[in-house]
Amino acid sequence: MTLPTVTTDEVDPTRLRWRRPRLRFGRWSAPLGIAGAAVALIWVLVAIFAPLIEPHDPLAQNLPILQAPGQGTFMGTDELGRDVFSRVLSGASVTIPLSLLLVVMSVLIGAVLGAIAGFFGRWVDELIMRITDLVMAFPTVILAMVIAAALGASLFNAVLAALIVSWPSYARLTRGLVLGLRQSNYVVSGQLLGFSALKSLWRDIAPNILGPILVLASLDIGTAILLLSGLSFLGLGAKPPTAEWGSMVSDAVQNFDSWWLGLFPGLAILTVVVAFNFIGDALRDALDPKSNTLRGGGLTL
Amino acid sequence: MRVGKPPRAARTAHPFLRYAVRRVITSILLVIGVTLVTFVLTNLVPGDPVAAALGQRAAEDPAIVAHFRAEYGLDQPLVVQYFTYLGNLLHGNLGVSTTTHNPVASDLAQALPATLEIAIGAIVLSVIIGVVLGTVAAYRRGKVSDHVLRVVSLAGLSVPTFWLALVLYYFFYFKLHIAPGSGRLDSDFNVPHTVTGLYTVDALLAGQLDTFFDALSHLFLPVLVLTLYTVGLLTRFVRTAVLEILDQDYVRAARAKGLPARTVVWSYVLRGASIPVLTVVGLAFGSLLSGTVLVESIFSWPGIGSYAYQAASHLDLPGVMGVGLLIGVMYLLVNLVVDLLYGVLDPRVRIA
């Protein structure tokens, strides 16, 4: 990935503030990003207001069992007589906040460790980077599965497992960015002015590396949702009777004839993940115009 | 640290050999790290293995517990236990599954060919499709087809694989009866004589064409699901890689001197893009292995994915650790091979 260039030499170190990166959206990515943001917003609202808009109690087993959609309920009922529509809505309030929390936590942990590694170098760098190597030596779902199985099946442990596997990519990215800026004139001159390491990192470096990190984070929300629902699908996340999308799909395998049991929770996952990925993609485009727009060389021949 | 010229021996040694040795050593260290991870996870987590293995009643009898702990070496310090564990691993002993009550190693050995069959199929297909689509997208950058491909590949990356498997199975098998049902072969076919464990290859070797076609038709859906996911990833990477190559002077020169477009694509662009693409293939292999864990159970495909699903849902720790270890090591191996090929393809890598 190419990173936005920072014009290091023209910046007066004493006056450097967080400059909003200039966003340049491509002709097509902007509408996609906006559409993604709209869908994501709807899902976030659903997650917040789920208890108010559910037509039925998602846990109550008081409807006719395995009723097809349209026969009294919007998305049918499951094998225990619960309303699938209400459970899909309720699933949003389980998965979406946890995934957002997961991404925020891994950004924080990864960025802090990566900044430390890149700024201080030497053995600290060596230690942190070897740990990231080790975690990244596994395919993420596999390592998360192994950790979640060892910790025991619960939603909390699934999030913990996902956190353990997802911080290293931020640590690597941050370290690379910090290393790139570490020797630049304005950081060095800041230090000559007597800035402490913390102040250097916070005032001179952080504002200039925030963009790429946020792009990675926005692209990661979808991955987090897929990871958490995948763990639940494996039986390592949400416990019954919690309405969680992955475990709903997993339960649907038992009643194959009743297609609505698996279709709707899966569509819920798909739409949320697509929405967040469109946002992330548009952001990446805007921050890194070289990768997509017509400008910047390329097919000029 | 001594500064100056590197020792003479190191300079004269074959650069590729040095590069290869360094990569192999790193990989061995990572494998050891991987075993450390699985060991720590099996041992330092809440949950008493004694109670789990003996059951509640026996676990309350101190004599039985002491005997059990001594028998399995649980009374030894952790470091000793780790080396015992490593020794066991070297002998192919991964413990006994608490669900199947078989040694995990033999379970996995039996399941692995089934997974390899779909994984190889999926990786070959997705590399072909991904390279074609990615190149097209790069060449048509900014045009409608580029954006369509971008949306499609993003959507492909956003689909939960386990759900896609279920949906395709429902349509192609349950509703339309186009695809065969679950498993690797229909019940009226006999398993071909085992040579490789890959049914398609074995059937061909045995000259049983009808068995071959049946095995092939059973591969269709699982391979399709895994391919759809990986293609999204590959298309995007190939596009970026090709775009970067298109920007190079030598490609510009090739075009300027009027070489046919086909020659430029094959001999200049794709050749230059092969290195970054190779890396992604290694990474995609990891997502593929993760995919099988989530997908196989739906097709009742008796590979390590189904095994992992079964082990995970029964909290069978030896089973889960065994799968984790196997996949971790396979992933490292594939990426080692990728890195070595990298060195073959690009001389600059050897020196770095």
Side-chain angles (χ1 to χ4, degrees), chain B residues 287-303:
Chain B
S287 78
L288 207 71
L289 290 171
S290 309
T292 57
V293 168
L294 294 170
V295 163
E296 280 182 10
S297 64
I298 286 170
F299 297 107
S300 309
W301 192 264

Side-chain angles (χ1 to χ4, degrees), chain A residues 260-275:
Chain A
W260 56 91
L261 295 184
L263 181 71
F264 295 118
L267 278 180
I269 304 177
L270 177 64
T271 47
V272 182
V273 177
V274 165

Side-chain angles (χ1 to χ4, degrees), chain B residues 19-37:
Chain B
Y19 167 74
V21 167
R22 207 171 52 223
R23 288 295 308 135
V24 170
I25 292 175
T26 324
S27 300
I28 293 174
L29 288 178
L30 276 175
V31 169
I32 295 175
V34 167
T35 62
L36 199 62
V37 169

